[in-house]
Amino acid sequence: MNPYVLTTLLSSLGLGTTLTFASSHWLLAWMGLEINTLAIIPLMAQHHHPRAVEATTKYFLIQATAAAVILFAGTANAWATGEWSMASVSDPIATTMVLAALSLKVGLAPMHFWMPEVLQGLDLLTGLVLSTWQKLAPFALIIQTSQAFDPFLLTALGLTSALVGGWGGLNQTQLRKVLAYSSIAHMGWMVIVLQYAPHLTFLALLMYILMTSAAFLTLKLSYATKIGTLATTWSKTPLLTATAALVFLSLGGLPPLTGFMPKWLILQELAKQGLPFTATVMALAALISLYFYLRLCYSMTLIISPNTATSTTPWRTQTTQVSTPLALFTVMALSLLPVTPAITALLI
């Protein structure tokens, strides 16, 4: 892609998200979301592969539908209250519509069906942008309007997403689909604690972005898109294989890795709020997710690929890819647990 075009698209991507962050008016927030969607469409379709075009079309239709519902809900709320401000969302129908549309935008279950299919059709770098940056603007709106939502509805969305994210990833062999279901499960963790401690939602989102970035960049460096390919990475890059296994365990939420921090704090908050049953279901859902992360680790570290493999032998050739961002994200995805008190003090 032409560097000027790429710069324009990435700037528009940043502009759309910033506009949504800064807005307290429904029309401005909708405009930011639309700029965001339109900027990523050419990035998704740049390879002109049928799968990429199909994924782009699905993504465009889903995002356009969600944006239309948000605009309609904002209009309905303005009709009922006389204000376009986000702070005055009091109409129950408008509130439910906003939550449904934003859930569709970020891929919360049961509005998650587009997410694995779209991610599977993209290359790893665009998939990374879709899984991390594209979640920021809708989540900013969810956090801003969280007090207007029905608490029961938020809890139901959180539990469903955590369970579907764990269950759906169990029988996947494509790594992008595994990461899509991982994303759905993490979204559930963020939403479940939103009504009690929004700062923990923000913390969970931040940690999810760090760990997912490390996972996607690792897969990009080792050219892996299927679980079977992971078995060949140890002969190419032994050190990367070791850190990748730890990153996947961190995504699963195992101590003493970074991924344990948000899960631990969220379970603690749920117990404090007198919701032991909800906390137990979430912990069990995390165990289901942990299984498919362990499966990835097993494939990477404990399986020697068969000598009769039909794929080309991956020689230890010198890579031309930039690995500095990967190193930074990996360090953060593995070692932030000891500074939990400092991070929580900054957020509260």
Side-chain angles (χ1 to χ4, degrees):
M1 187 180 276
N2 186 309
Y4 297 117
V5 175
L6 187 63
T7 307
T8 307
L9 291 174
L10 292 177
S11 305
S12 302
L13 210 57
L15 173 70
T17 306
T18 312
L19 200 61
T20 307
F21 278 175
S23 61
S24 57
H25 190 285
W26 278 115
L27 202 59
L28 208 59
W30 168 81
M31 208 181 295
L33 291 171
E34 283 297 276
I35 292 170
N36 219 342
T37 304
L38 292 174
I40 201 173
I41 294 292
L43 293 173
M44 292 169 78
Q46 64 180 318
H47 295 297
H48 306 296
H49 189 274
R51 285 303 299 267
V53 174
E54 182 191 333
T56 309
T57 310
K58 284 177 182 172
Y59 183 75
F60 174 73
L61 291 172
I62 291 290
Q63 298 297 312
T65 306
V69 172
I70 287 170
L71 190 60
F72 182 60
T75 312
N77 185 66
W79 183 271
T81 62
E83 284 187 53
W84 278 91
S85 170
M86 281 184 207
S88 60
V89 186
S90 53
D91 185 48
I93 297 172
T95 309
T96 311
M97 282 168 63
V98 165
L99 184 57
L102 291 172
S103 301
L104 183 62
K105 268 201 170 290
V106 294
L108 275 167
M111 280 82 82
H112 67 284
F113 295 99
W114 62 271
M115 182 86 182
E117 296 302 321
V118 167
L119 208 57
Q120 179 57 30
L122 305 177
D123 66 303
L124 288 166
L125 213 51
T126 318
L128 168 61
V129 175
L130 185 73
S131 303
T132 54
W133 186 262
Q134 292 297 92
K135 307 280 189 207
L136 292 176
F139 247 99
L141 295 182
I142 290 175
I143 291 171
Q144 264 182 287
T145 50
S146 61
Q147 297 313 310
F149 299 141
D150 180 12
F152 175 75
L153 204 55
L154 283 175
T155 306
L157 278 172
L159 285 172
T160 313
S161 297
L163 288 165
V164 165
W167 205 255
L170 288 180
N171 64 341
Q172 300 299 333
T173 56
Q174 297 286 340
L175 295 174
R176 283 166 291 188
K177 282 195 176 181
V178 167
L179 287 168
Y181 281 109
S182 157
S183 173
I184 293 161
H186 278 89
M187 294 297 127
W189 279 89
M190 292 169 214
V191 166
I192 198 91
V193 80
L194 181 61
Q195 55 203 315
Y196 310 113
H199 67 277
L200 287 185
T201 298
F202 181 68
L203 173 72
L205 180 61
L206 204 62
M207 294 305 143
Y208 160 76
I209 287 173
L210 290 179
M211 294 182 294
T212 306
S213 301
F216 267 104
L217 292 172
T218 301
L219 297 179
K220 184 176 176 292
L221 201 69
S222 51
Y223 300 103
T225 52
K226 295 194 286 287
I227 288 185
T229 321
L230 287 178
T232 64
T233 54
W234 69 271
S235 59
K236 267 196 301 184
T237 48
L239 189 60
L240 186 69
T241 306
T243 55
L246 288 172
V247 166
F248 285 126
L249 291 178
S250 185
L251 268 169
L254 273 192
L257 304 166
T258 302
F260 179 60
M261 183 205 302
K263 287 188 168 60
W264 164 39
L265 292 171
I266 289 169
L267 290 176
Q268 189 183 22
E269 185 63 35
L270 290 173
K272 242 193 274 183
Q273 296 291 339
L275 298 163
F277 177 72
T278 309
T280 307
V281 174
M282 290 301 285
L284 291 173
L287 280 180
I288 302 173
S289 296
L290 186 61
Y291 174 79
F292 63 74
Y293 294 123
L294 282 170
R295 189 161 151 239
L296 297 183
C297 296
Y298 177 73
S299 299
M300 288 190 88
T301 56
L302 296 172
I303 287 183
I304 296 176
S305 60
N307 295 328
T308 53
T310 51
S311 57
T312 316
T313 310
W315 298 104
R316 284 200 202 185
T317 49
Q318 195 67 37
T319 180
T320 54
Q321 295 189 56
V322 181
S323 55
T324 314
L326 171 60
L328 287 172
F329 281 121
T330 303
V331 167
M332 287 190 281
L334 301 183
S335 58
L336 285 184
L337 187 66
V339 292
T340 303
I343 294 171
T344 46
L346 280 171
L347 289 175
I348 294 172

